[in-house]
Amino acid sequence: GQNIDQPTEMTATEGAIVQINCTYQTSGFNGLFWYQQHAGEAPTFLSYNVLDGLEEKGRFSSFLSRSKGYSYLLLKELQMKDSASYLCAVKSRGSQGNLIFGKGTKLSVKP
Amino acid sequence: NAGVMQNPRHLVRRRGQEARLRCSPMKGHSHVYWYRQLPEEGLKFMVYLQKENIIDESGMPKERFSAEFPKEGPSILRIQQVVRGDSAAYFCASSPDRGAPEQYFGPGTRLTVT
């Protein structure tokens, strides 16, 4: 089967660093995505990993280990506006292009 | 540079009525994906369309649900004889081609069945 796991909720303090983990089991692998979704809004694209390693983009970084079926999203210098759900999604090799999403991690940033 | 547009943003239907959800992809994008998000659940793939073609409908219920993406005009997701369990947020995403990594999401249509 296809399964993507991530923590349901996390809390962190403004200015701190937080790491959101994601593990996946899919039939083949063709890329891993992180999206940010504020309550009641559309998911917005954050990052894409297809090869092992770290991708950095400003305050956000994403890491992938294909052999372990594992990724994390790292958020630095947290701001209150980072309070949102963070969605991990995988494009499996057999898919026609659609994404398989985890349930999302709801991050609350406290002052 | 308009993004993905969906309308209506909110739709209320009584049980047994039909719901029609519209999605206009980003300019230059010819691939459209529909996802459903139930409360406290992740996004679930429903259907993938190109202009005038359904590429993958493996995530769409066989009954009451249909989708199209005509040569002209928006993509439409149609739900006939709605039931309370159809209440959800329906998102559409678009990409320029199948190989493009990112999908860009619209603001969603929140369907409430009373």
Side-chain angles (χ1 to χ4, degrees), chain B residues 17 31 38 41 49 51 56 63 76 97 112:
Chain B
Q17 289 185 319
H31 294 243
L38 294 167
E41 293 288 324
L49 309 106
K51 285 282 187 181
D56 181 357
E63 297 182 357
I76 295 176
D97 56 61
T112 302

Side-chain angles (χ1 to χ4, degrees), chain A residues 33 35 37 39-45 48 87 91 95-104, chain B residues 9 33 35 37 40-45 48 55-56 91 98 100-103 105-107 110:
Chain A
F33 301 77
Y35 282 82
Q37 186 179 26
E41 296 183 12
T44 53
F45 171 79
Y48 167 63
L87 315 180
K91 185 181 288 189
S95 88
Q96 297 284 351
N98 57 284
L99 300 176
I100 305 162
F101 281 87
K103 291 187 178 182
Chain B
R9 295 291 306 275
Y33 303 82
Y35 294 85
Q37 188 173 39
E40 308 302 322
E41 293 288 324
L43 286 153
K44 297 278 193 244
F45 166 73
Y48 164 33
I55 307 300
D56 181 357
F91 289 95
R98 184 187 299 185
E102 302 109 275
Q103 295 179 12
F105 281 80
R110 274 142 191 88

